[in-house]
Amino acid sequence: MVIGKRAKRVSEAQALDCVFGYTIGNDVSERTWQGGDRTLWRGKNTDTFKPMGPWIVTGLDPDALRVTIRLNGREMFSYAVKDAIFGIREFISRMSQYCTLYPGDVLWMGTDGATENMKHGDVVEIEIPGIGVLSNPVVRER
């Protein structure tokens, strides 16, 4: 989701007032690096590891959103956002207790379940009806 106005210590009841809109993010991870590094920084934040899109949509009900993740056309996961460990309202409220959220900030909610390792040539698609499909090819760095 994309924050639309400054949020500092907001309640769950106020949380959605801070949201400008929703988009899709592909939270790419390099598992070998994650296992060998003392932090998750490199394995989660290398160039090209956070593709987003296809656009930002406003006016959606986050409790009605459903995410489907496909790898090479095969459905890997499908889940309702409202069933995540933390709902969107609680997530925003808790984050705002520890950091100020500013307009344009993007919050990533993560995925539901353990993902399969990707390899060169794979295609990952993440679909949320009402937003669209984010499709990313996996390309080995040369």
Side-chain angles (χ1 to χ4, degrees), residues 25-57:
N26 187 349
D27 188 10
V28 177
S29 302
E30 209 306 330
R31 302 289 185 216
T32 304
W33 294 345
Q34 281 183 298
D37 292 353
R38 292 184 62 184
T39 71
L40 298 178
W41 186 88
R42 181 175 65 142
K44 301 287 281 176
N45 296 293
T46 298
D47 290 347
T48 75
F49 275 27
K50 296 286 186 256
M52 292 183 351
W55 34 70
I56 298 170
V57 178

Side-chain angles (χ1 to χ4, degrees), residues 39-105:
T39 71
L40 298 178
W41 186 88
R42 181 175 65 142
K44 301 287 281 176
N45 296 293
T46 298
D47 290 347
T48 75
F49 275 27
K50 296 286 186 256
M52 292 183 351
W55 34 70
I56 298 170
V57 178
T58 60
L60 294 177
D61 174 4
D63 293 330
L65 299 179
R66 181 161 202 86
V67 178
T68 300
I69 301 170
R70 291 183 291 273
L71 181 62
N72 301 320
R74 182 174 51 121
E75 186 175 303
M76 305 301 288
F77 301 103
S78 185
Y79 60 94
V81 171
K82 68 179 178 152
D83 294 334
I85 294 172
F86 295 104
I88 288 177
R89 290 168 188 80
E90 181 182 5
F91 189 74
I92 292 170
S93 178
R94 295 283 300 270
M95 284 197 69
S96 74
Q97 293 175 26
Y98 302 101
C99 61
T100 302
L101 303 173
Y102 291 95
D105 283 350

Side-chain angles (χ1 to χ4, degrees), residues 113-134:
T115 58
E116 192 169 304
N117 288 333
M118 299 176 295
K119 62 185 181 316
H120 177 78
D122 284 348
V123 175
V124 178
E125 294 178 315
I126 304 168
E127 179 174 8
I128 301 177
I131 300 176
V133 178
L134 175 63

